[in-house]
Amino acid sequence: MTIIHPIGDFLSELFPVLKGKMDDENLIEKVLTEYYTIGSIIPEVKVHGKMVEVHFTSDDAITQQFDFNKASSLCQQGKFKEAIPILKSLIGKNPTNSEFYRTLGQAYSMIGDDEEGINNLIDALKWNPKNNYALIMIGNIFARNKNDIETARKYYQQVIENNPDDNIAINNLGTNLIQAGKVDEGLQYLMKAFSINPDYPNTLYGIALVNQMKGNNDTAFEFALKCIKKCGEGEKGLSRNAQQLTLESAQALVKTDIGKKPFDDYRKQLQKKSGKEIKVEIDNTLDTAAKFEFAEKYDRDYHLVKYNPKHPAIYHLVMHELVHLDFATDARNDNRNKLFISNFKTKSVFLNDLRQHRQVLIKKGLSEPSINEYFDLLFDGINRQIFNAPIDLFIEDKLFQEHEEIRPYQLLSLYSLISDGIKATTDKSIISLSPVSILRASKILNLIGAYQYRDLYGIDLTGNFKANTLEDKTAKEMYAEFYDYRDDRESGEEYELVENWAKDLKLEKYFELVDEEINSNAKSYDDIIEKIERDPFDLETRDPIKDKEMEEFQRSQKEMGTNMAVVMYMVDALEFFQKMPKQKIKEIAYEIALQGTQGYRPENKNYIIGLIPDKKFSGYHILAYYYVSWSLVMPEMLPQLQLPYDNEYKLALTLFKPTNK
């Protein structure tokens, strides 16, 4: 057995009697001979230049492996006091084993006896000067427990000298220097540790934290994200700290308006690609954070992005809208663009599927009008989700990969959206009202977005959805399908995913995807949102049979001139509605419109409106109520009704005598 010590300052740390006497070879040999003599076994100690060798001609030491394994196991279980007697016994039998001393030193330190811990760790180093674990432990004790950075530095430096590629020792030295206030010096060591091992999460977090302290939030954001992605199961605490740091640095970056340049650059690129100007406008009245209005939809020669400035991550949201245009332009150029259509037929299927759930809600005490309004929201909401969820995955992936400057906005924005999705699918009050099939579909679609967020940013919110085994399995399978398309997606293929997922979730009956060229009335890619919000009762959708009937009806009315029956019915309607709240009028208008999609015939005298009980309407009577109700609450929609009663309404207004309030 041979032990080799370099002659230098560190040797005097192990043998303090040699301090200042490193040139006295005889003294060095004498001190080391005395220490390493075990009973009758006297080692041979010899100085060779800058090294001193301790050589044993015979080695009677026997490693007690069984007992040492037992002691190590006790330490791993936190039973340090039980391990100490075993380790002492092992050292008594074999005082040459460095690991016995190292483990004993660790045990003493863990029960709060740092002095005894250091003594045993020093002994470990005397028997093996390159026991790096012992060196790091001593360094940690001096740095963290004794606040003695300079002494700690000596031990860390020795590790580095023993192994210049020991990133953990370099990391620990850097971290402790930072904690001692030597930030710049500590950061240098952390960067060196990073260059050796760029995957060690403690180093990544340390670099992020220092940069946050120095105000370098872009670097802090970058390294905090790296840390999150490299944390393992046993590093959840570190991962949580890194997540918090990531959110904080992202919030700081968003305040600097760094998203403006990438947005402006992308807008210029798309203006050239689409052949139209893209204007940007603040709209404080928007219910959503941002909205894209396609030029074709609004008969303009420019596209328009509107945004509500109250949302902090606005550049992510407006960039998201621009990608919609990007995708649509590609699909159009290749004749692959599709339009999402929901109409009375698809809504009737939806309402029919929920007829049993309607009875459940009635038993809970909900009124018919409130149930109708709730089902309207469900229909609109699940249609938005099934159309947007698959496409949004491609959009968010593109933003992450191609627009790095937007990542702080994307991180905050998606975090908020996913949190909203969690609440919408786990809140007990919402669950109690929701149809099981719709709730399940919504949860799966939201969960898929959370899986992407986890992959992009390492922040795992999926467990908060409390999904059952089947929901989780379905979400993972659908997300895997997205990956099948992701890397080699061709223009318009995102619509295939919409159709596939709709079938998986049994939502395909509630909408239609049609080739854009088939439907000349729907001119833009954003029909899903505009169509549902602007035309919930399919007033705009043209049907050849209905068109022919309407043309004949309008021609007959024109030939007839002013229809006085309609005028008097309108006066009746104005009197009926005059003291009614607008929301109530709106509900009646919607019911009349919904029933009217089947067509109203003037000769029929038995129409019934559920919200106007105990009253039957003739054809002209209900048409008058139809016109008046919409004119009172949604006058901008009157042209879409195609009712030829403008003159009748003007005359009715002159005849109507409102009562005093």
Side-chain angles (χ1 to χ4, degrees):
M1 176 180 180
T2 301
I3 302 170
I4 300 174
H5 287 284
I7 296 175
D9 291 342
F10 192 69
L11 184 62
S12 66
E13 284 291 325
L14 301 181
F15 299 93
V17 70
L18 296 177
K19 282 187 178 180
K21 301 174 182 178
M22 288 295 104
D23 56 347
D24 190 338
E25 295 182 1
N26 292 329
L27 181 61
I28 292 173
E29 292 177 356
K30 177 177 181 297
V31 170
L32 269 62
T33 299
E34 290 177 356
Y35 179 81
Y36 289 108
T37 296
I38 303 171
S40 61
I41 302 173
I42 301 173
E44 178 185 352
V45 180
K46 190 67 176 175
V47 174
H48 296 285
K50 294 183 179 181
M51 310 294 288
V52 56
E53 293 185 0
V54 182
H55 179 69
F56 293 86
T57 56
S58 63
D59 190 351
D60 295 330
I62 300 175
T63 302
Q64 305 293 321
Q65 193 63 42
F66 177 82
D67 286 344
F68 181 65
N69 288 345
K70 181 179 179 181
S72 297
S73 177
L74 289 169
C75 288
Q76 290 172 3
Q77 298 173 49
K79 300 177 180 179
F80 299 105
K81 290 184 178 180
E82 295 179 35
I84 287 173
I86 299 173
L87 291 165
K88 283 184 174 181
S89 175
L90 286 169
I91 290 171
K93 296 174 183 177
N94 179 10
T96 68
N97 190 306
S98 177
E99 277 300 283
F100 293 170
Y101 292 104
R102 196 271 303 172
T103 308
L104 182 59
Q106 178 187 14
Y108 272 117
S109 177
M110 293 304 294
I111 65 173
D113 192 344
D114 285 335
E115 294 305 322
E116 195 61 31
I118 290 172
N119 290 338
N120 281 280
L121 290 168
I122 291 290
D123 285 336
L125 293 172
K126 288 176 178 178
W127 289 101
N128 180 8
K130 295 188 177 182
N131 188 329
N132 286 348
Y133 288 112
L135 287 164
I136 291 173
M137 284 181 189
I138 297 178
N140 289 344
I141 291 171
F142 276 106
R144 299 171 186 174
N145 299 356
K146 294 180 174 292
N147 198 28
D148 185 349
I149 297 300
E150 292 308 316
T151 300
R153 188 202 295 256
K154 294 177 182 178
Y155 289 92
Y156 291 136
Q157 283 292 159
Q158 192 61 36
V159 178
I160 298 169
E161 288 181 23
N162 291 341
N163 180 8
D165 293 331
D166 192 324
N167 67 289
I168 295 177
I170 298 171
N171 174 83
N172 288 359
L173 176 55
T175 299
N176 287 308
L177 285 169
I178 292 165
Q179 291 175 347
K182 300 181 179 182
V183 177
D184 291 332
E185 185 181 0
L187 181 57
Q188 290 178 3
Y189 279 100
L190 291 181
M191 295 308 296
K192 183 177 180 180
F194 173 70
S195 68
I196 297 169
N197 182 0
D199 297 331
Y200 186 51
N202 296 69
T203 299
L204 297 170
Y205 179 72
I207 295 172
L209 189 60
V210 171
N211 277 281
Q212 185 189 44
M213 292 164 53
K214 296 169 74 69
N216 302 326
N217 286 296
D218 52 347
T219 305
F221 180 81
E222 174 190 353
F223 277 88
L225 281 181
K226 292 178 186 292
C227 175
I228 295 170
K229 292 184 178 182
K230 296 301 180 182
C231 283
E233 280 297 315
E235 296 160 318
K236 291 183 178 178
L238 179 62
S239 179
R240 283 193 296 270
N241 290 338
Q243 288 179 31
Q244 183 61 34
L245 197 157
T246 305
L247 292 170
E248 290 172 359
S249 56
Q251 289 164 352
L253 287 168
V254 164
K255 291 178 182 177
T256 67
D257 213 31
I258 62 168
K260 185 178 187 307
K261 185 179 185 306
F263 171 72
D264 288 341
D265 290 346
Y266 193 33
R267 178 174 61 165
K268 290 176 184 176
Q269 174 189 333
L270 289 181
Q271 285 179 153
K272 184 177 180 180
K273 183 175 182 177
S274 67
K276 289 184 173 64
E277 182 184 2
I278 302 173
K279 294 185 178 181
V280 183
E281 182 180 291
I282 294 175
D283 188 344
N284 292 293
T285 66
L286 280 182
D287 293 331
T288 56
K291 177 183 179 183
F292 195 93
E293 295 183 352
F294 286 78
E296 299 87 346
K297 174 65 67 177
Y298 293 89
D299 293 323
R300 302 180 184 133
D301 59 358
Y302 62 89
H303 301 300
L304 178 63
V305 177
K306 292 183 176 181
Y307 70 91
N308 191 325
K310 72 179 181 180
H311 294 272
I314 193 65
Y315 280 114
H316 162 253
L317 297 162
V318 293
M319 287 282 281
H320 182 102
E321 299 302 319
L322 290 185
V323 183
H324 271 295
L325 172 63
D326 200 352
F327 284 179
T329 302
D330 287 340
R332 280 174 176 160
N333 291 340
D334 295 334
N335 293 319
R336 293 175 178 172
N337 200 36
K338 289 183 179 291
L339 300 174
F340 186 100
I341 305 298
S342 62
N343 51 33
F344 176 74
K345 179 180 70 174
T346 60
K347 187 162 187 177
S348 296
V349 174
F350 177 82
L351 295 175
N352 185 60
D353 286 348
L354 297 187
R355 64 189 184 280
Q356 290 184 347
H357 192 70
R358 177 183 290 273
Q359 297 305 314
V360 172
L361 296 180
I362 290 173
K363 290 180 180 179
K364 288 180 178 287
L366 276 70
S367 66
E368 283 285 352
S370 63
I371 293 173
N372 290 336
E373 184 176 356
Y374 175 55
F375 282 178
D376 287 345
L377 293 173
L378 280 180
F379 180 69
D380 296 350
I382 200 63
N383 269 335
R384 283 195 197 94
Q385 258 193 297
I386 191 56
F387 180 76
N388 281 304
I391 298 174
D392 284 352
L393 293 181
F394 293 106
I395 291 176
E396 298 305 339
D397 184 70
K398 180 180 177 68
L399 289 175
F400 183 86
Q401 301 297 340
E402 299 180 11
H403 300 279
E404 187 174 344
E405 307 96 323
I406 293 296
R407 288 180 186 176
Y409 296 86
Q410 187 181 39
L411 175 106
L412 295 174
S413 181
L414 292 182
Y415 188 93
S416 176
L417 291 171
I418 293 169
S419 297
D420 289 344
I422 291 169
K423 178 174 175 57
T425 55
T426 60
D427 185 277
K428 291 182 179 179
S429 61
I430 296 175
I431 292 174
S432 67
L433 296 175
S434 301
V436 173
S437 61
I438 302 301
L439 180 65
R440 173 182 176 272
S442 181
K443 178 177 287 192
I444 289 170
L445 293 171
N446 276 289
L447 187 56
I448 292 169
Y451 280 129
Q452 184 185 44
Y453 189 62
R454 181 195 62 189
D455 287 353
L456 295 180
Y457 289 103
I459 299 177
D460 190 356
L461 301 174
T462 58
N464 297 338
F465 282 94
K466 302 175 183 176
N468 61 38
T469 303
L470 181 58
E471 290 167 342
D472 187 58
K473 179 176 181 291
T474 303
K476 287 177 178 175
E477 289 174 349
M478 292 167 67
Y479 185 48
E481 186 179 9
F482 157 70
Y483 262 90
D484 290 341
Y485 281 86
R486 173 189 172 217
D487 293 331
D488 57 355
R489 181 188 72 88
E490 296 182 3
S491 63
E493 277 194 332
E494 57 270 20
Y495 300 122
E496 292 182 15
L497 209 56
V498 173
E499 293 175 321
N500 293 346
W501 287 12
K503 290 176 183 177
D504 291 340
L505 299 176
K506 295 180 172 45
L507 301 175
E508 75 277 11
K509 301 175 292 182
Y510 305 148
F511 67 90
E512 296 176 10
L513 268 182
V514 299
D515 292 335
E516 186 176 35
E517 61 184 4
I518 291 176
N519 190 326
S520 60
N521 291 306
K523 297 181 180 178
S524 80
Y525 182 87
D526 65 339
D527 267 21
I528 172 58
I529 294 175
E530 288 298 313
K531 178 76 169 62
I532 292 175
E533 290 182 346
R534 184 163 49 81
D535 186 24
F537 291 101
D538 193 33
L539 300 177
E540 295 179 357
T541 301
R542 298 273 66 82
D543 176 274
I545 296 176
K546 287 170 62 178
D547 283 349
K548 190 172 187 301
E549 290 179 349
M550 179 60 74
E551 287 173 5
E552 292 176 356
F553 174 64
Q554 288 175 324
R555 184 168 57 253
S556 67
Q557 293 299 300
K558 186 175 182 180
E559 293 171 355
M560 184 187 300
T562 301
N563 189 322
M564 290 306 299
V566 171
V567 172
M568 299 313 298
Y569 285 137
M570 284 184 168
V571 173
D572 176 53
L574 289 167
E575 291 174 350
F576 179 79
F577 289 129
Q578 67 175 319
K579 294 184 179 180
M580 187 176 293
K582 281 193 173 183
Q583 181 58 36
K584 180 70 173 179
I585 299 174
K586 194 171 187 178
E587 291 173 3
I588 293 173
Y590 277 168
E591 184 177 350
I592 296 174
L594 184 60
Q595 184 171 291
T597 56
Q598 302 286 349
Y600 285 124
R601 299 184 180 278
E603 65 274 13
N604 193 327
K605 298 183 179 181
N606 294 302
Y607 289 111
I608 297 174
I609 301 300
L611 293 175
I612 308 178
D614 304 323
K615 190 168 187 175
K616 290 186 178 181
F617 292 84
S618 67
Y620 283 126
H621 197 174
I622 199 167
L623 288 170
Y625 269 64
Y626 193 180
Y627 189 104
V628 171
S629 62
W630 282 74
S631 70
L632 292 175
V633 293
M634 290 172 285
E636 71 280 3
M637 296 294 294
L638 279 175
Q640 306 298 327
L641 304 183
Q642 298 192 61
L643 292 174
Y645 294 139
D646 294 352
N647 291 332
E648 281 79 358
Y649 187 56
K650 290 177 183 177
L651 181 56
L653 288 173
T654 65
L655 298 175
F656 170 57
K657 305 296 183 184
T659 58
N660 294 327
K661 295 183 180 180

